[in-house]
Amino acid sequence: MKKSIITVVGKDQVGIIAKVCTYLACNNINILDISQTIVDGYFNMMMICDANNAEKPFSLLSDELEALGGEIGVIIKLQREEIFEKIQRL
């Protein structure tokens, strides 16, 4: 199974988790692990997901999540696990 990493960062507000998770459920993306925290009023969330059963191409999922972030005032990034790991090593 190839995993994907979703990060969400922005000013805390009601409904961030609900909106992101609703999008994932509607696109058949399974959440394998999730961690979230609020630091000084800023929301931070990292999710490890399985997007292998999604019907949309990965690039479209990434674009739609980024657009969703814009709608709710946060930054959402979707990355393949191997890319995320390589970026973290830099």
Side-chain angles (χ1 to χ4, degrees):
M1 165 188 7
K2 291 186 179 178
K3 297 176 187 172
S4 302
I5 309 297
I6 297 173
T7 55
V8 182
V9 178
K11 189 86 170 131
D12 187 37
Q13 61 182 307
V14 173
I16 296 172
I17 296 172
K19 290 173 183 168
V20 173
C21 290
T22 297
Y23 175 86
L24 298 179
C26 289
N27 285 282
N28 206 25
I29 298 172
N30 187 36
I31 299 167
L32 303 172
D33 199 358
I34 183 171
S35 172
Q36 66 91 27
T37 188
I38 298 168
V39 177
D40 197 25
Y42 288 91
F43 178 85
N44 298 282
M45 180 168 63
M46 181 175 182
M47 307 168 101
I48 301 173
C49 300
D50 175 2
N52 292 323
N53 293 324
E55 295 181 10
K56 296 177 182 176
F58 191 87
S59 61
L60 180 57
L61 295 170
S62 180
D63 290 345
E64 288 180 351
L65 280 166
E66 189 172 329
L68 174 62
E71 291 171 19
I72 61 176
V74 297
I75 298 169
I76 303 176
K77 296 291 182 193
L78 170 65
Q79 301 172 68
R80 296 187 191 279
E81 180 182 38
E82 58 270 15
I83 300 298
F84 182 84
E85 287 179 354
K86 288 182 185 202
I87 289 172
Q88 298 306 309
R89 288 183 193 160
L90 293 177

